Amino acid sequence: MPINIEGLKFTYSNGGPFEKNALHDINIDIQNGEFIGIIGHTGSGKSTLIQHLNGILKPTAGRVIINGIDTKQKDLKELRRQVGIVFQYPEHQLFEDTVKKDISFGLLKQGLSEEEIQQRVISALHSVGLDESILEKSPFELSGGQKRRVAIAGVVAMMPKILVLDEPTAGLDPSGRDEIFGYIKELHRDFNMTVILVSHSMEDIAKLAGRVIVMNEGTVYMDKPSGEVYTQPDQLEKIGLSAPQITYLMKRLKTILPDIDENIFTVEAA
Ligand code: ADP
């Protein structure tokens, strides 16, 4: 199994006065090429979970195995090559004086030739809808949306097999959001990348992901193909969605999955 999370438990400040159990007995298997959406309230454990995928956090109990690599091992170089994580507001991590240097930063450690680095940088730029003309610019001269895309390009340039994105469109306007989601969809399709997208927006997840994991209070509350999650309004209500939100989602589902059985819309969402 490419991603195998078994009995994962994580406690912040384990044994200390501010001990906090953030994840309890998480079991998730993910296949190559899946597009997974992770949703859940603030504090439900989404960020803690994704930080286990490249070994930033290590399980307090249980294990996380990525393509045969146990994240508990010390040498995480190969793991970090395979799993790229785009954190929230990734543009805050841009620090070089040119876009080119920022995008190639991770590549420099990989022993690639100058030409290869150049090629990877350009192809990563293209994959987020930018071009060579901005290579020598300072990231700080760019618009908010462009900065975000440069930051994503820096992760994409590493050509990770698994791309994890934590609220990649937070703070962008609707057209900026649609653009970024469009590029993520293409990366998934063209490179068969496994994509794990954390979002608080059910609608975005419904549009993109084939499978949805709903987190609640540090546990996996639901893990199903997206269509099935949206056919269980009573379950959605339990995680705090209002009746109008559920009705809206049901309507949207009809446009996304036109073949779906009409009967599900007769379920009373109140
Ligand atoms: P989400 O990403 O779903 O908002 P988090 O994974 O950030 O949730 O948080 C899960 C739980 O762990 C929350 O109760 C949060 O307060 C707690 N938590 C997160 N980071 C820390 C930390 N560095 N120290 C202690 N507790 C934390």
mmCIF file of all heavy atoms in Angstrom, residues 197-215:
data_model
loop_
_atom_site.group_PDB
_atom_site.id
_atom_site.type_symbol
_atom_site.label_atom_id
_atom_site.label_comp_id
_atom_site.label_asym_id
_atom_site.label_seq_id
_atom_site.Cartn_x
_atom_site.Cartn_y
_atom_site.Cartn_z
ATOM 1 N N LEU A 197 -5.874 16.836 -0.310
ATOM 2 C CA LEU A 197 -6.242 18.251 -0.206
ATOM 3 C C LEU A 197 -7.041 18.495 1.060
ATOM 4 O O LEU A 197 -8.106 17.912 1.250
ATOM 5 C CB LEU A 197 -7.090 18.611 -1.438
ATOM 6 C CG LEU A 197 -7.745 19.975 -1.456
ATOM 7 C CD1 LEU A 197 -6.701 21.074 -1.596
ATOM 8 C CD2 LEU A 197 -8.735 20.073 -2.610
ATOM 9 N N VAL A 198 -6.508 19.339 1.926
ATOM 10 C CA VAL A 198 -7.232 19.701 3.142
ATOM 11 C C VAL A 198 -8.018 20.977 2.864
ATOM 12 O O VAL A 198 -7.459 21.946 2.342
ATOM 13 C CB VAL A 198 -6.256 19.976 4.310
ATOM 14 C CG1 VAL A 198 -7.015 20.506 5.530
ATOM 15 C CG2 VAL A 198 -5.478 18.720 4.661
ATOM 16 N N SER A 199 -9.292 20.951 3.164
ATOM 17 C CA SER A 199 -10.088 22.152 2.930
ATOM 18 C C SER A 199 -11.237 22.172 3.918
ATOM 19 O O SER A 199 -11.673 21.132 4.393
ATOM 20 C CB SER A 199 -10.638 22.130 1.505
ATOM 21 O OG SER A 199 -11.553 23.180 1.323
ATOM 22 N N HIS A 200 -11.735 23.365 4.238
ATOM 23 C CA HIS A 200 -12.930 23.378 5.071
ATOM 24 C C HIS A 200 -14.145 23.518 4.176
ATOM 25 O O HIS A 200 -15.266 23.551 4.635
ATOM 26 C CB HIS A 200 -12.866 24.512 6.107
ATOM 27 C CG HIS A 200 -12.874 25.841 5.455
ATOM 28 N ND1 HIS A 200 -11.720 26.474 5.074
ATOM 29 C CD2 HIS A 200 -13.891 26.618 5.050
ATOM 30 C CE1 HIS A 200 -12.040 27.601 4.480
ATOM 31 N NE2 HIS A 200 -13.341 27.716 4.443
ATOM 32 N N SER A 201 -13.898 23.611 2.855
ATOM 33 C CA SER A 201 -15.011 23.811 1.933
ATOM 34 C C SER A 201 -15.472 22.497 1.334
ATOM 35 O O SER A 201 -14.818 21.900 0.495
ATOM 36 C CB SER A 201 -14.595 24.772 0.817
ATOM 37 O OG SER A 201 -15.476 24.627 -0.275
ATOM 38 N N MET A 202 -16.647 22.059 1.767
ATOM 39 C CA MET A 202 -17.247 20.834 1.235
ATOM 40 C C MET A 202 -17.414 20.951 -0.274
ATOM 41 O O MET A 202 -17.284 19.983 -1.003
ATOM 42 C CB MET A 202 -18.652 20.678 1.810
ATOM 43 C CG MET A 202 -18.659 20.290 3.229
ATOM 44 S SD MET A 202 -18.515 18.520 3.273
ATOM 45 C CE MET A 202 -19.319 18.208 4.786
ATOM 46 N N GLU A 203 -17.720 22.161 -0.711
ATOM 47 C CA GLU A 203 -18.002 22.335 -2.122
ATOM 48 C C GLU A 203 -16.749 22.077 -2.960
ATOM 49 O O GLU A 203 -16.782 21.388 -3.973
ATOM 50 C CB GLU A 203 -18.524 23.749 -2.362
ATOM 51 C CG GLU A 203 -19.170 23.848 -3.706
ATOM 52 C CD GLU A 203 -19.420 25.271 -4.135
ATOM 53 O OE1 GLU A 203 -19.480 26.156 -3.258
ATOM 54 O OE2 GLU A 203 -19.534 25.479 -5.350
ATOM 55 N N ASP A 204 -15.613 22.629 -2.512
ATOM 56 C CA ASP A 204 -14.375 22.425 -3.256
ATOM 57 C C ASP A 204 -14.003 20.950 -3.272
ATOM 58 O O ASP A 204 -13.600 20.402 -4.296
ATOM 59 C CB ASP A 204 -13.229 23.226 -2.615
ATOM 60 C CG ASP A 204 -13.444 24.717 -2.782
ATOM 61 O OD1 ASP A 204 -14.203 25.094 -3.696
ATOM 62 O OD2 ASP A 204 -12.865 25.493 -1.998
ATOM 63 N N ILE A 205 -14.153 20.313 -2.137
ATOM 64 C CA ILE A 205 -13.817 18.899 -2.056
ATOM 65 C C ILE A 205 -14.728 18.085 -2.979
ATOM 66 O O ILE A 205 -14.267 17.192 -3.688
ATOM 67 C CB ILE A 205 -13.953 18.403 -0.583
ATOM 68 C CG1 ILE A 205 -12.957 19.140 0.318
ATOM 69 C CG2 ILE A 205 -13.839 16.899 -0.495
ATOM 70 C CD1 ILE A 205 -11.642 18.489 0.553
ATOM 71 N N ALA A 206 -16.021 18.440 -2.986
ATOM 72 C CA ALA A 206 -16.966 17.704 -3.827
ATOM 73 C C ALA A 206 -16.582 17.813 -5.299
ATOM 74 O O ALA A 206 -16.705 16.870 -6.066
ATOM 75 C CB ALA A 206 -18.379 18.233 -3.612
ATOM 76 N N LYS A 207 -16.086 18.997 -5.686
ATOM 77 C CA LYS A 207 -15.732 19.214 -7.089
ATOM 78 C C LYS A 207 -14.511 18.401 -7.495
ATOM 79 O O LYS A 207 -14.345 18.041 -8.631
ATOM 80 C CB LYS A 207 -15.411 20.697 -7.321
ATOM 81 C CG LYS A 207 -16.643 21.525 -7.635
ATOM 82 C CD LYS A 207 -16.251 22.872 -8.192
ATOM 83 C CE LYS A 207 -16.015 23.867 -7.084
ATOM 84 N NZ LYS A 207 -15.825 25.235 -7.470
ATOM 85 N N LEU A 208 -13.603 18.171 -6.541
ATOM 86 C CA LEU A 208 -12.284 17.659 -6.910
ATOM 87 C C LEU A 208 -11.996 16.231 -6.487
ATOM 88 O O LEU A 208 -11.423 15.460 -7.247
ATOM 89 C CB LEU A 208 -11.218 18.563 -6.269
ATOM 90 C CG LEU A 208 -11.175 19.994 -6.796
ATOM 91 C CD1 LEU A 208 -10.504 20.904 -5.779
ATOM 92 C CD2 LEU A 208 -10.428 20.051 -8.113
ATOM 93 N N ALA A 209 -12.338 15.907 -5.242
ATOM 94 C CA ALA A 209 -11.823 14.652 -4.679
ATOM 95 C C ALA A 209 -12.695 13.456 -5.032
ATOM 96 O O ALA A 209 -13.909 13.568 -5.156
ATOM 97 C CB ALA A 209 -11.725 14.788 -3.164
ATOM 98 N N GLY A 210 -12.060 12.313 -5.184
ATOM 99 C CA GLY A 210 -12.784 11.075 -5.420
ATOM 100 C C GLY A 210 -13.175 10.415 -4.111
ATOM 101 O O GLY A 210 -14.084 9.603 -4.053
ATOM 102 N N ARG A 211 -12.466 10.777 -3.067
ATOM 103 C CA ARG A 211 -12.714 10.157 -1.761
ATOM 104 C C ARG A 211 -12.578 11.228 -0.693
ATOM 105 O O ARG A 211 -11.697 12.081 -0.791
ATOM 106 C CB ARG A 211 -11.675 9.060 -1.572
ATOM 107 C CG ARG A 211 -11.664 8.405 -0.216
ATOM 108 C CD ARG A 211 -10.621 7.290 -0.227
ATOM 109 N NE ARG A 211 -10.226 6.902 1.097
ATOM 110 C CZ ARG A 211 -9.104 6.235 1.372
ATOM 111 N NH1 ARG A 211 -8.280 5.873 0.401
ATOM 112 N NH2 ARG A 211 -8.810 5.928 2.608
ATOM 113 N N VAL A 212 -13.444 11.175 0.285
ATOM 114 C CA VAL A 212 -13.450 12.207 1.322
ATOM 115 C C VAL A 212 -13.223 11.583 2.691
ATOM 116 O O VAL A 212 -13.856 10.583 3.037
ATOM 117 C CB VAL A 212 -14.807 12.951 1.346
ATOM 118 C CG1 VAL A 212 -14.807 14.023 2.428
ATOM 119 C CG2 VAL A 212 -15.088 13.576 0.002
ATOM 120 N N ILE A 213 -12.297 12.171 3.429
ATOM 121 C CA ILE A 213 -12.084 11.753 4.813
ATOM 122 C C ILE A 213 -12.572 12.890 5.698
ATOM 123 O O ILE A 213 -12.119 14.031 5.550
ATOM 124 C CB ILE A 213 -10.592 11.450 5.060
ATOM 125 C CG1 ILE A 213 -10.185 10.227 4.214
ATOM 126 C CG2 ILE A 213 -10.323 11.203 6.554
ATOM 127 C CD1 ILE A 213 -8.713 9.875 4.292
ATOM 128 N N VAL A 214 -13.527 12.604 6.549
ATOM 129 C CA VAL A 214 -14.040 13.624 7.457
ATOM 130 C C VAL A 214 -13.405 13.391 8.827
ATOM 131 O O VAL A 214 -13.540 12.312 9.402
ATOM 132 C CB VAL A 214 -15.586 13.545 7.587
ATOM 133 C CG1 VAL A 214 -16.099 14.660 8.499
ATOM 134 C CG2 VAL A 214 -16.248 13.627 6.219
ATOM 135 N N MET A 215 -12.695 14.398 9.324
ATOM 136 C CA MET A 215 -12.065 14.287 10.641
ATOM 137 C C MET A 215 -12.975 14.938 11.685
ATOM 138 O O MET A 215 -13.598 15.963 11.418
ATOM 139 C CB MET A 215 -10.723 15.027 10.663
ATOM 140 C CG MET A 215 -9.669 14.489 9.719
ATOM 141 S SD MET A 215 -9.012 12.917 10.246
ATOM 142 C CE MET A 215 -8.241 13.374 11.802
#
